[in-house]
Amino acid sequence: MKRIATLVMALFILASLPAFGDQGGEKPPQIEYRATVDADGVQRVEIVGGDYFFRPNHIIVRVNVPVELKVRRETILVPHDLVVKAPEAGIDFKVNLERETTVVRFTPTRVGRYPMYCDKKLLFFASHREKGMEGTIEVVE
């Protein structure tokens, strides 16, 4: 019983820290990035994830043109990932964000707006997505 009480107290303390606790429900400002097509025909975007944000969090890419996302996290302890589930548009991945850059490649096949988010969650606390770690990949003509 003492172990359970200690665990509950530790979780309460963690929940009060900025890296784990609620950030007051404030969403980060929208940071838009319009990808350009490089000489090799690929659209490249760098995404950084941190404590409940993606930068940029609104990415605009062209349909039927390959995309290369270079993703990483800037936090040291808190794990984050990047999830996009839009198989109907040729975009379907989940990648853990590491301190070192990871590359994600896809070719969007359908115009539209597709959510990207972090689905990490600590026990019974709000998920990272609920805390504002979400954004949009917008595919245009």
Side-chain angles (χ1 to χ4, degrees):
M1 193 54 100
K2 187 174 182 180
R3 280 186 165 173
I4 292 173
T6 302
L7 178 60
V8 168
M9 181 58 80
L11 290 173
F12 178 76
I13 291 169
L14 282 175
S16 67
L17 296 174
F20 290 94
D22 185 42
Q23 299 295 310
E26 292 181 28
K27 290 199 173 201
Q30 184 173 348
I31 301 170
E32 185 177 284
Y33 180 82
R34 184 176 294 272
T36 58
V37 181
D38 289 346
D40 63 358
V42 177
Q43 304 172 92
R44 289 185 174 82
V45 180
E46 292 185 26
I47 300 175
V48 176
D51 285 336
Y52 315 116
F53 71 85
F54 289 115
R55 186 179 56 241
N57 57 5
H58 183 177
I59 298 161
I60 301 170
V61 296
R62 290 181 43 202
V63 68
N64 297 318
V65 178
V67 175
E68 184 177 280
L69 301 179
K70 294 181 178 182
V71 300
R72 67 179 178 84
R73 68 180 161 95
E74 66 180 24
T75 55
I76 295 172
L77 297 175
V78 180
H80 294 293
D81 60 17
L82 176 61
V83 180
V84 180
K85 294 294 180 189
E88 71 281 4
I91 313 169
D92 188 10
F93 61 85
K94 176 178 179 175
V95 61
N96 285 321
L97 300 183
E98 305 294 342
R99 298 279 294 157
E100 299 299 319
T101 299
T102 301
V103 177
V104 177
R105 293 178 180 91
F106 61 90
T107 300
T109 58
R110 184 183 289 179
V111 171
R113 295 171 64 98
Y114 306 98
M116 64 180 190
Y117 55 91
C118 176
D119 72 355
K120 298 291 187 185
K121 179 178 171 72
L122 178 63
L123 298 174
F124 51 84
F125 298 107
S127 72
H128 293 192
R129 184 178 192 180
E130 292 169 320
K131 292 181 180 186
M133 196 165 184
E134 61 183 354
T136 303
I137 295 178
E138 183 175 354
V139 182
V140 298
E141 287 290 334

